Amino acid sequence: MTDYKTNLRLRLPTTCIILEVILIILFATLVQYDEHTDAKHWHENMEKHNESNYENEFYFRYPSFQDVHVMIFIGFGFLMTFLQRYGFSSVGFNFLIAAFSLQWATLMQGFFHGMHGGKIHIGVESMINADFCTGSVLISFGAVLGKTSPVQLLLMAVFEVTLFAINEFILLTALGARDAGGSMTIHTFGAYFGLVVARVLYRPQLSKSQHKNCSVYHSDLFAMIGTIYLWMFWPSFNSAITEHGDDQHRTAMNTYYSLAACTLATYAFSSLVSHDGKLDMVHIQNAALAGGVAVGTAGEMMLTPFGSMIVGFLAGTISTLGFKYLSPILESKLHIQDTCGVHNLHGMPGVLGAIVGAITAALATEEVYGEGMKDVFPDVSSGEITASFQGVRQAISLAVTLGIALLGGLIVGFILKLPIYGAPPDTICFEDSLYWEVPGEEGTHEEMTTVQVEDVEKPING
Amino acid sequence: MTDYKTNLRLRLPTTCIILEVILIILFATLVQYDEHTDAKHWHENMEKHNESNYENEFYFRYPSFQDVHVMIFIGFGFLMTFLQRYGFSSVGFNFLIAAFSLQWATLMQGFFHGMHGGKIHIGVESMINADFCTGSVLISFGAVLGKTSPVQLLLMAVFEVTLFAINEFILLTALGARDAGGSMTIHTFGAYFGLVVARVLYRPQLSKSQHKNCSVYHSDLFAMIGTIYLWMFWPSFNSAITEHGDDQHRTAMNTYYSLAACTLATYAFSSLVSHDGKLDMVHIQNAALAGGVAVGTAGEMMLTPFGSMIVGFLAGTISTLGFKYLSPILESKLHIQDTCGVHNLHGMPGVLGAIVGAITAALATEEVYGEGMKDVFPDVSSGEITASFQGVRQAISLAVTLGIALLGGLIVGFILKLPIYGAPPDTICFEDSLYWEVPGEEGTHEEMTTVQVEDVEKPING
Amino acid sequence: MTDYKTNLRLRLPTTCIILEVILIILFATLVQYDEHTDAKHWHENMEKHNESNYENEFYFRYPSFQDVHVMIFIGFGFLMTFLQRYGFSSVGFNFLIAAFSLQWATLMQGFFHGMHGGKIHIGVESMINADFCTGSVLISFGAVLGKTSPVQLLLMAVFEVTLFAINEFILLTALGARDAGGSMTIHTFGAYFGLVVARVLYRPQLSKSQHKNCSVYHSDLFAMIGTIYLWMFWPSFNSAITEHGDDQHRTAMNTYYSLAACTLATYAFSSLVSHDGKLDMVHIQNAALAGGVAVGTAGEMMLTPFGSMIVGFLAGTISTLGFKYLSPILESKLHIQDTCGVHNLHGMPGVLGAIVGAITAALATEEVYGEGMKDVFPDVSSGEITASFQGVRQAISLAVTLGIALLGGLIVGFILKLPIYGAPPDTICFEDSLYWEVPGEEGTHEEMTTVQVEDVEKPING
């Protein structure tokens, strides 16, 4: 039943073990507890600065971290279970590549974010950043979902995490852009990188698997678990690494209102564009989230609640229309088979978010921000640059992100095109049984999953 | 296949867009960041009061807010997925009306809770309150589940949020009652409002859809996701807006023990009242939560852990018995078709909670509360009134809540009865396919959900 | 259809009500709010120590508590829904015995952890400890899943919670061992206790139910919800009751990296040991979590990130290999029918965690821990004992835990073997319909679940 070429018995274990051994060696060589996690340094610093244990960064970031963590593993994982026979792979490969990426991202981001005496210092903030970078990889995963092997995905993650860290470094450190919720660094980058990879991996014969590229009733409900979790925790996502105090508070609130407005837009346009006024689950599952993407950059700024709502409404609108009108064109004209429609959820809303961020930054005044200016726009606050120039920085950052994503995706796509990773044939895409032992449906008992029963059937001492 | 009268192609988009545009205009005119979210004011206040960013309200309310948020969107949403063919609508309409209600509630509650120079100030506390108000609407949704169109539900939300805010204002501000977890404001109000609406919308011919008004094996498991999330996070719900310190801590703990005791009562009576000792999922899914409702008022008081357990045990008992013996009577005698049994989960336990709150308040002494009296009963602490009179206030509040809920529900019910909202016919209640594009079951491939496949089948350039 | 012997109509209600009444009486007699939840004492202490409400323990433990709570009710509950026809029982009995155990544990742990003037003082820390103890019972539940009645399970919980509290007291108080995440107290104890109970309850004829002892496609997806929640929140679990500051922060981070490495090991070995390189859901659902178990003791120590990764990698490896090679032997040779494979997920990784903890403790130096030594190893810090001796304490603790678990499990197993609890016959194990009213499958409408419909069919006034 399993084609030799897709048997991963040697390739998947080898890849996982080699990657993990490399990670462990690099961690042993390069990574240390930071001053909030190291027993000795924390206690030295507490004494020196007359602080208490209650001021440990843990208490001000960890709840946000856990919300982000849920988005990465439950949110993305279950959002992609909408396919009828790809639930194991959706949530399972999501799990695998996320578990790898967060380790690799710790190293790559640590390397670019600044070493301390040759060492990478880690704590809850680096954990959030690693999860963010992982999110970008999972966005790209959405574009190639159902058409790739886990070995291919792990390799994509190796490259994408690296390019993500480079792009992030250029934007935040070299260019001095602001992008707390990652409209550019996470969403735009992840989406366009993934779309180019999908383009390079174009399968003209994919229609042979088209009967599996659809949902069933229950799979859509599983996917809604993912959607709702992403929706609920997006305020935590956008605010997870903004400055403490009003910044985190405001970012969370802006995101909350943007998402609420986005949801109404999504329902409105989903019903409007269908031929008989019925709602489409694909829109609800995805476009309702675009409001979170679109305030990823401007959320920490003084966007105002109604400004957030306008942005969210626009994001929901373009995302829903994108699913209806643009995705078919991307497939037929540009040969981009975007399984989850990441262009509509992350691509366009990400670009919108970058533009909104640039405009909002350019309009910043001391009048509005007061002393808070130094948290949101430190260079404007210090008088180094004008607010308008901050806006220019943001715009340049968008262009840089698109450039690195497109070029990076092109190169990585060709690497992933090599016929050595056990990718599924065109006829067996969107199908779990290629890489998973799949139990029968209810009422049939083809395969047993628990060990003791298997034992009864096939005694190992035979 | 779709009857013209239930085609919402114009009505749903129009309703959503008009409502959202009104919201945005009102937000632009009336809503401002509060002093914990506004960059300038927060930094000014920090300097003035020599505070640090760590004292921002965000850190002391946001984790509670997120737990409440999960209850609203996952808890209520999935609790209602128990129906076999109404999962999309349960979680999807829950999503829509919650996203609308939280915006509308921000305005209505802000208006009644006190304006600041003509402006409504918002932050994490207003977000929690908006989610609370939304919860009330979702309770009413439970009573009419499966028999209403989304347009009808949005309209119900417009009115119910308004009435909620008025009732809340009368109770908490005018009457000086305490109701942190909303036994009265949220549960009693939402339940009896919804029950009266359900009464007015009574469908004598609903039996034509009765074969769909039941669960299947998997839908009950989805519903348990909702149940368990509501159960776990109820301590956060009841404590989300109590005073800081011991009050939040005590409220959460009282709720924890009330729910635990309630669960044992539910299992006991579910098994006892069935004809062969088997447990009924309807009871477990719902009655096990009644303990959270019933300590919604008294949870912040010095109810003691064993007092909480007694209340929880009683709540689980009356709720289970209500499902078994009272619901059939409500339907046959009073013509109230209460789909989710909200009378058993929110109605009776809400009234019980109000009574427990009144008694506990009346028994409060300085001996027990010490300096903490000023947080729980400020008017008793200041000597303005006696504890007994606080108890009277609480009792009056219950009567007021019932009055507004019943009268409001009656009026709104008749508004919703107009035959212009695309409500389902009696023969197609409890059915997703009326308002949703529904994919086929596993193995059948009637409909495709992903865009690219649809494109392959129906080329848009034809 | 229901055998009289398994009809629990009297036994289950009686058991639940008697237990709850006893709990309420004991709580009324023995339990008081602690100084962080009692209104009077908290305000007195605030004044005395010049503290603020923001320093209430609630803010530093409650988010961790909620994560642990999710693991207990969603994590364990859904992890066990993998069986095709045992989802109601898995999540439902998990719910019941957890709701009971957390109340009983409050008393037992309070009794052994030290009374205050004859009273047990409770707050968020006791709530976390009660949930921890509950976790241990749920681990044992996993070993006997599908083969026990709820009455049996409640009785098991009564005894196991008691023995847990005794063992915990011996380890943490009498022996002075460290075990914040419970590699020994929770996992090793729960696993071996449950395995011995399963051994005593051995059913030679269980193969008659073997066709139900397997998963179906959707049940595996439900189980993945449990897995992912356990995986995500394990950092909160291990850090929930460590000391404040760097200790909580470091423990969470060590667990995060251990789990990530464990996941890669699990995928590698799952693919390696199958006959055609396919991944096995049983491994992914369980073995990927072993990394959390294995750093339960050493997580709070200066294990280093790469040390955590090595431990996690080892744990994932032995767990996966255990499922493949050891579980069949346990069944065929030792007659231990371990339904969920708790020996692989909790047993062996728990022992590994205890050993890693002993070694890490023995290697502790002032050089590395600085002033932090007094939080992690107070007796070593005070000079009372050497680090090596702390290691010896840890090793002795493992032996004590195994001894109490094995002996306790043996005795309790024989108590549970009495034929009076309504245990399922060999032919109807792993089957919900014995204890639950089960609705039909989709498309069939054998049973109705909502009350009003039932009423229509069987008028109560007939």
Side-chain angles (χ1 to χ4, degrees):
Chain A
M1 185 171 159
T2 309
D3 184 2
Y4 171 73
K5 287 177 192 162
T6 61
N7 185 324
L8 302 178
R9 184 164 188 179
L10 290 181
R11 282 172 288 185
L12 183 56
T14 314
T15 309
C16 288
I17 292 171
I18 289 177
L19 287 176
E20 192 59 47
V21 169
I22 292 172
L23 284 168
I24 290 175
I25 293 171
L26 289 175
F27 265 69
T29 323
L30 290 172
V31 176
Q32 285 180 342
Y33 293 125
D34 74 5
E35 54 188 7
H36 285 256
T37 41
D38 185 273
K40 189 179 180 182
H41 293 144
W42 171 251
H43 282 266
E44 280 176 4
N45 279 333
M46 265 210 300
E47 211 160 303
K48 197 158 66 185
H49 302 120
N50 197 23
E51 290 180 338
S52 88
N53 272 321
Y54 294 154
E55 287 165 82
N56 193 290
E57 193 71 357
F58 180 76
Y59 302 106
F60 303 94
R61 299 271 184 219
Y62 188 73
S64 305
F65 161 72
Q66 274 297 0
D67 290 353
V68 171
H69 215 41
V70 172
M71 293 175 71
I72 296 299
F73 287 88
I74 286 284
F76 279 105
F78 277 87
L79 180 60
M80 295 191 272
T81 58
F82 70 96
L83 292 170
Q84 57 168 316
R85 290 294 292 180
Y86 209 62
F88 288 14
S89 303
S90 294
V91 74
F93 295 164
N94 186 85
F95 189 18
L96 172 64
I97 60 181
F100 165 71
S101 296
L102 63 86
Q103 298 177 76
W104 183 234
T106 304
L107 291 167
M108 288 296 108
Q109 294 180 314
F111 186 72
F112 283 109
H113 288 186
M115 315 274 281
H116 303 74
K119 298 289 182 181
I120 293 165
H121 283 189
I122 60 173
V124 68
E125 201 167 329
S126 75
M127 286 159 70
I128 295 171
N129 276 316
D131 267 36
F132 274 8
C133 177
T134 299
S136 197
V137 177
L138 299 178
I139 292 167
S140 303
F141 175 38
V144 299
L145 187 78
K147 303 166 293 186
T148 37
S149 83
V151 175
Q152 231 171 347
L153 292 169
L154 283 169
L155 203 67
M156 184 178 84
V158 170
F159 291 114
E160 185 170 358
V161 165
T162 311
L163 290 167
F164 176 98
I166 294 171
N167 183 55
E168 189 186 37
F169 171 76
I170 296 174
L171 263 60
L172 305 188
T173 309
L175 288 174
R178 303 294 295 181
D179 196 17
S183 288
M184 295 181 284
T185 54
I186 302 168
H187 300 287
T188 305
F189 180 82
Y192 287 98
F193 182 95
L195 290 166
V196 176
V197 170
R199 174 64 190 83
V200 177
L201 301 181
Y202 178 64
R203 290 166 179 263
Q205 302 296 314
L206 189 60
S207 58
K208 289 178 179 170
S209 294
Q210 76 177 46
H211 58 290
K212 281 177 189 145
N213 187 5
C214 60
S215 65
V216 288
Y217 194 71
H218 283 117
S219 69
D220 269 328
L221 277 178
F222 278 113
M224 278 304 282
I225 297 175
T227 296
I228 300 284
Y229 268 103
L230 288 168
W231 195 92
M232 293 187 303
F233 289 166
W234 218 295
S236 304
F237 189 93
N238 284 346
S239 66
I241 55 157
T242 57
E243 293 294 319
H244 290 308
D246 62 301
D247 302 76
Q248 284 199 279
H249 200 158
R250 185 173 59 245
T251 311
M253 199 166 70
N254 285 339
T255 309
Y256 173 81
Y257 285 110
S258 175
L259 284 163
C262 177
T263 302
L264 266 83
T266 300
Y267 276 81
F269 285 94
S270 180
S271 174
L272 191 64
V273 300
S274 78
H275 60 292
D276 51 5
K278 291 185 181 180
L279 296 162
D280 189 330
M281 261 292 166
V282 175
H283 304 157
I284 308 305
Q285 282 161 7
N286 293 280
L289 299 168
V293 175
V295 295
T297 303
E300 67 172 326
M301 305 174 192
M302 291 289 286
L303 184 58
T304 74
F306 86 92
S308 307
M309 289 157 76
I310 293 172
V311 174
F313 193 86
L314 284 176
T317 305
I318 60 170
S319 185
T320 308
L321 298 179
F323 274 103
K324 182 71 181 179
Y325 300 111
L326 197 54
S327 284
I329 296 175
L330 287 187
E331 160 123 9
S332 61
K333 300 289 181 196
L334 300 185
H335 291 178
I336 298 173
Q337 293 156 326
D338 176 7
T339 312
C340 294
V342 302
H343 187 247
N344 309 304
L345 168 48
H346 302 278
M348 291 190 295
V351 171
L352 172 64
I355 295 167
V356 170
I359 295 169
T360 314
L363 296 175
T365 62
E366 287 283 347
E367 173 89 35
V368 169
Y369 287 79
E371 284 297 305
M373 182 71 96
K374 69 178 184 296
D375 287 346
V376 185
F377 301 115
D379 295 345
V380 178
S381 171
S382 71
E384 195 187 315
I385 60 167
T386 63
S388 315
F389 191 71
Q390 181 71 37
V392 173
R393 281 180 174 183
Q394 302 289 133
I396 294 172
S397 295
L398 174 59
V400 169
T401 301
L402 287 169
I404 295 180
L406 296 173
L407 191 62
L410 195 68
I411 296 167
V412 174
F414 278 105
I415 296 172
L416 299 180
K417 212 179 161 75
L418 298 175
I420 57 175
Y421 309 112
D426 289 349
T427 47
I428 323 181
C429 285
F430 315 114
E431 172 58 51
D432 274 337
S433 64
L434 205 57
Y435 302 120
W436 296 85
E437 296 197 18
V438 177
E441 284 310 311
E442 237 152 311
T444 73
H445 309 290
E446 298 155 18
E447 290 191 49
M448 303 288 134
T449 53
T450 48
V451 172
Q452 61 272 40
V453 169
E454 193 177 18
D455 178 49
V456 170
E457 297 190 317
K458 298 172 284 180
I460 59 166
N461 307 313
Chain B
M1 185 173 159
T2 309
D3 183 3
Y4 170 74
K5 288 177 192 162
T6 61
N7 185 324
L8 303 177
R9 185 165 188 177
L10 289 180
R11 283 174 286 184
L12 182 57
T14 315
T15 310
C16 287
I17 292 170
I18 289 176
L19 287 175
E20 191 59 46
V21 169
I22 292 172
L23 284 167
I24 290 175
I25 293 170
L26 289 175
F27 265 69
T29 322
L30 291 171
V31 176
Q32 284 181 343
Y33 294 125
D34 74 5
E35 54 188 6
H36 285 256
T37 41
D38 185 272
K40 190 180 180 182
H41 292 144
W42 172 251
H43 282 266
E44 280 175 4
N45 280 333
M46 265 211 299
E47 210 159 303
K48 197 159 63 187
H49 302 120
N50 197 24
E51 290 180 339
S52 88
N53 273 321
Y54 294 153
E55 287 165 81
N56 193 288
E57 193 70 357
F58 181 76
Y59 302 106
F60 303 95
R61 298 271 183 219
Y62 188 73
S64 305
F65 162 72
Q66 274 297 1
D67 291 352
V68 172
H69 216 40
V70 171
M71 292 175 71
I72 297 298
F73 288 88
I74 288 282
F76 280 104
F78 277 87
L79 181 60
M80 295 191 273
T81 58
F82 71 96
L83 292 170
Q84 59 169 314
R85 290 296 290 179
Y86 209 62
F88 288 14
S89 303
S90 295
V91 74
F93 295 164
N94 186 86
F95 189 18
L96 173 63
I97 59 181
F100 164 71
S101 296
L102 63 87
Q103 298 177 78
W104 183 235
T106 304
L107 290 168
M108 287 298 108
Q109 295 182 313
F111 186 71
F112 284 109
H113 288 186
M115 315 274 281
H116 303 72
K119 297 290 182 180
I120 293 164
H121 283 189
I122 60 172
V124 68
E125 202 167 327
S126 76
M127 288 159 70
I128 294 171
N129 278 316
D131 268 35
F132 274 7
C133 177
T134 299
S136 198
V137 178
L138 300 178
I139 291 167
S140 304
F141 174 37
V144 299
L145 187 78
K147 303 166 293 186
T148 37
S149 83
V151 174
Q152 231 172 346
L153 292 169
L154 283 169
L155 204 65
M156 183 179 83
V158 170
F159 292 114
E160 185 170 357
V161 166
T162 311
L163 290 167
F164 176 98
I166 293 171
N167 183 56
E168 190 187 37
F169 170 76
I170 295 174
L171 264 60
L172 305 188
T173 308
L175 288 173
R178 303 294 295 182
D179 195 18
S183 288
M184 295 181 284
T185 53
I186 302 169
H187 300 287
T188 304
F189 180 81
Y192 288 98
F193 182 95
L195 289 166
V196 176
V197 170
R199 174 65 191 83
V200 177
L201 300 181
Y202 177 64
R203 291 166 178 263
Q205 303 296 314
L206 189 61
S207 59
K208 289 178 179 169
S209 293
Q210 75 176 47
H211 59 289
K212 279 176 189 146
N213 187 5
C214 59
S215 66
V216 286
Y217 194 72
H218 284 117
S219 69
D220 269 326
L221 277 178
F222 277 113
M224 278 304 283
I225 297 175
T227 297
I228 300 284
Y229 268 103
L230 288 168
W231 196 91
M232 293 187 301
F233 288 166
W234 217 297
S236 304
F237 189 94
N238 283 347
S239 66
I241 55 156
T242 58
E243 293 295 318
H244 290 308
D246 61 301
D247 302 76
Q248 285 201 278
H249 199 160
R250 185 173 56 247
T251 312
M253 200 167 70
N254 286 338
T255 309
Y256 173 80
Y257 285 110
S258 174
L259 285 162
C262 177
T263 302
L264 266 81
T266 301
Y267 276 81
F269 286 94
S270 180
S271 175
L272 191 65
V273 300
S274 78
H275 60 292
D276 52 4
K278 290 184 181 183
L279 296 162
D280 188 330
M281 260 293 167
V282 175
H283 304 158
I284 307 306
Q285 283 161 7
N286 292 281
L289 299 168
V293 175
V295 296
T297 303
E300 67 172 326
M301 304 174 193
M302 291 289 286
L303 183 58
T304 73
F306 85 92
S308 308
M309 288 157 75
I310 292 173
V311 175
F313 193 86
L314 284 176
T317 304
I318 61 170
S319 186
T320 307
L321 297 179
F323 274 103
K324 181 71 182 178
Y325 300 111
L326 197 53
S327 285
I329 296 174
L330 287 186
E331 161 124 8
S332 60
K333 302 287 181 196
L334 301 184
H335 292 179
I336 298 173
Q337 294 156 325
D338 176 8
T339 313
C340 294
V342 302
H343 186 248
N344 309 304
L345 169 48
H346 302 279
M348 291 189 295
V351 172
L352 172 64
I355 295 168
V356 171
I359 295 170
T360 314
L363 297 175
T365 61
E366 285 284 347
E367 172 89 37
V368 169
Y369 288 78
E371 285 295 306
M373 182 71 96
K374 67 176 187 297
D375 288 347
V376 185
F377 302 115
D379 295 346
V380 178
S381 171
S382 70
E384 195 187 314
I385 60 168
T386 63
S388 314
F389 191 71
Q390 181 71 37
V392 174
R393 280 182 175 182
Q394 302 288 134
I396 294 172
S397 295
L398 173 60
V400 169
T401 301
L402 286 169
I404 295 180
L406 295 173
L407 190 63
L410 194 68
I411 298 167
V412 174
F414 279 105
I415 296 173
L416 299 181
K417 212 178 161 73
L418 298 175
I420 56 174
Y421 310 112
D426 289 349
T427 47
I428 324 181
C429 286
F430 315 112
E431 172 59 51
D432 275 336
S433 64
L434 205 57
Y435 303 120
W436 295 85
E437 298 199 14
V438 176
E441 286 309 311
E442 235 152 312
T444 73
H445 309 291
E446 298 155 19
E447 289 192 50
M448 302 288 134
T449 53
T450 49
V451 172
Q452 62 272 40
V453 169
E454 192 177 20
D455 178 50
V456 170
E457 296 189 318
K458 298 172 285 183
I460 59 166
N461 308 312
Chain C
M1 185 173 160
T2 308
D3 183 4
Y4 170 73
K5 288 178 193 161
T6 61
N7 185 324
L8 302 177
R9 186 165 187 178
L10 290 181
R11 282 172 287 185
L12 183 57
T14 314
T15 310
C16 288
I17 292 171
I18 289 177
L19 288 176
E20 192 58 47
V21 169
I22 292 173
L23 284 168
I24 290 175
I25 292 171
L26 290 175
F27 264 69
T29 323
L30 291 172
V31 175
Q32 284 182 344
Y33 293 125
D34 73 5
E35 54 188 4
H36 286 256
T37 42
D38 184 273
K40 189 179 181 182
H41 292 143
W42 171 250
H43 282 266
E44 280 176 3
N45 280 332
M46 265 210 301
E47 210 160 302
K48 197 159 65 186
H49 302 119
N50 197 23
E51 290 180 340
S52 87
N53 272 322
Y54 295 153
E55 287 164 82
N56 192 290
E57 193 71 357
F58 181 76
Y59 302 107
F60 302 94
R61 298 271 184 220
Y62 188 73
S64 304
F65 162 72
Q66 274 298 0
D67 291 352
V68 171
H69 216 40
V70 171
M71 293 174 72
I72 296 299
F73 287 89
I74 286 284
F76 280 104
F78 277 87
L79 180 60
M80 295 191 273
T81 58
F82 71 97
L83 292 171
Q84 56 168 316
R85 290 295 291 181
Y86 209 62
F88 287 14
S89 303
S90 294
V91 74
F93 294 165
N94 186 85
F95 190 18
L96 172 63
I97 59 179
F100 164 71
S101 297
L102 62 86
Q103 298 177 77
W104 183 235
T106 304
L107 290 168
M108 288 296 109
Q109 293 180 315
F111 186 71
F112 285 108
H113 288 187
M115 316 273 281
H116 303 73
K119 298 289 183 182
I120 293 164
H121 284 189
I122 61 173
V124 68
E125 201 167 329
S126 76
M127 288 159 69
I128 295 171
N129 277 317
D131 268 36
F132 275 7
C133 177
T134 299
S136 197
V137 178
L138 300 177
I139 291 167
S140 303
F141 176 36
V144 298
L145 188 78
K147 303 166 294 186
T148 37
S149 83
V151 175
Q152 231 172 346
L153 292 169
L154 282 169
L155 203 67
M156 184 178 83
V158 170
F159 291 114
E160 185 170 358
V161 165
T162 311
L163 290 167
F164 176 97
I166 294 171
N167 182 58
E168 191 187 37
F169 170 76
I170 296 174
L171 263 59
L172 306 188
T173 308
L175 288 173
R178 304 294 295 182
D179 195 17
S183 288
M184 295 181 285
T185 54
I186 302 168
H187 300 287
T188 304
F189 180 82
Y192 288 98
F193 182 95
L195 290 166
V196 175
V197 171
R199 174 64 191 82
V200 177
L201 301 180
Y202 177 63
R203 292 165 178 263
Q205 303 296 315
L206 189 60
S207 59
K208 289 178 180 170
S209 293
Q210 76 176 48
H211 59 288
K212 280 177 189 145
N213 186 5
C214 60
S215 66
V216 288
Y217 194 73
H218 283 118
S219 69
D220 269 328
L221 276 178
F222 277 113
M224 278 304 282
I225 297 175
T227 296
I228 300 285
Y229 268 104
L230 288 169
W231 196 91
M232 293 187 302
F233 288 166
W234 218 296
S236 304
F237 189 94
N238 284 347
S239 66
I241 55 156
T242 57
E243 294 293 318
H244 289 309
D246 60 300
D247 302 74
Q248 285 200 279
H249 199 159
R250 184 174 58 247
T251 311
M253 199 167 71
N254 285 339
T255 309
Y256 173 80
Y257 285 110
S258 174
L259 284 162
C262 177
T263 302
L264 267 81
T266 301
Y267 276 82
F269 286 94
S270 179
S271 174
L272 191 64
V273 300
S274 78
H275 61 293
D276 52 4
K278 290 184 181 181
L279 295 162
D280 188 331
M281 261 292 166
V282 175
H283 304 158
I284 307 306
Q285 283 161 6
N286 292 280
L289 300 168
V293 175
V295 296
T297 303
E300 67 172 326
M301 305 175 192
M302 290 289 287
L303 183 59
T304 75
F306 85 93
S308 308
M309 290 156 75
I310 292 173
V311 174
F313 194 87
L314 284 176
T317 305
I318 61 170
S319 186
T320 307
L321 298 179
F323 274 103
K324 182 70 182 180
Y325 301 111
L326 197 54
S327 284
I329 295 174
L330 287 186
E331 160 124 9
S332 61
K333 301 288 181 197
L334 301 184
H335 292 181
I336 297 173
Q337 293 156 326
D338 176 8
T339 313
C340 293
V342 302
H343 186 249
N344 309 304
L345 170 48
H346 302 278
M348 291 189 295
V351 172
L352 173 65
I355 295 168
V356 170
I359 295 170
T360 314
L363 297 175
T365 61
E366 285 284 347
E367 172 89 36
V368 169
Y369 288 80
E371 285 296 305
M373 182 70 96
K374 67 176 185 298
D375 287 347
V376 186
F377 302 114
D379 295 345
V380 178
S381 171
S382 70
E384 194 187 314
I385 59 167
T386 62
S388 314
F389 191 72
Q390 181 71 38
V392 174
R393 281 180 174 184
Q394 303 288 134
I396 294 171
S397 296
L398 173 60
V400 169
T401 301
L402 286 170
I404 295 179
L406 296 174
L407 191 62
L410 194 69
I411 296 167
V412 175
F414 278 105
I415 296 172
L416 298 180
K417 211 179 162 72
L418 298 174
I420 57 174
Y421 309 111
D426 290 349
T427 47
I428 322 181
C429 286
F430 315 114
E431 172 59 50
D432 274 336
S433 64
L434 204 58
Y435 302 119
W436 296 85
E437 296 198 18
V438 177
E441 285 309 311
E442 236 153 311
T444 74
H445 309 291
E446 298 155 17
E447 291 191 48
M448 301 290 133
T449 54
T450 50
V451 171
Q452 62 272 42
V453 169
E454 194 176 18
D455 178 49
V456 170
E457 295 189 319
K458 299 172 285 180
I460 59 167
N461 306 312

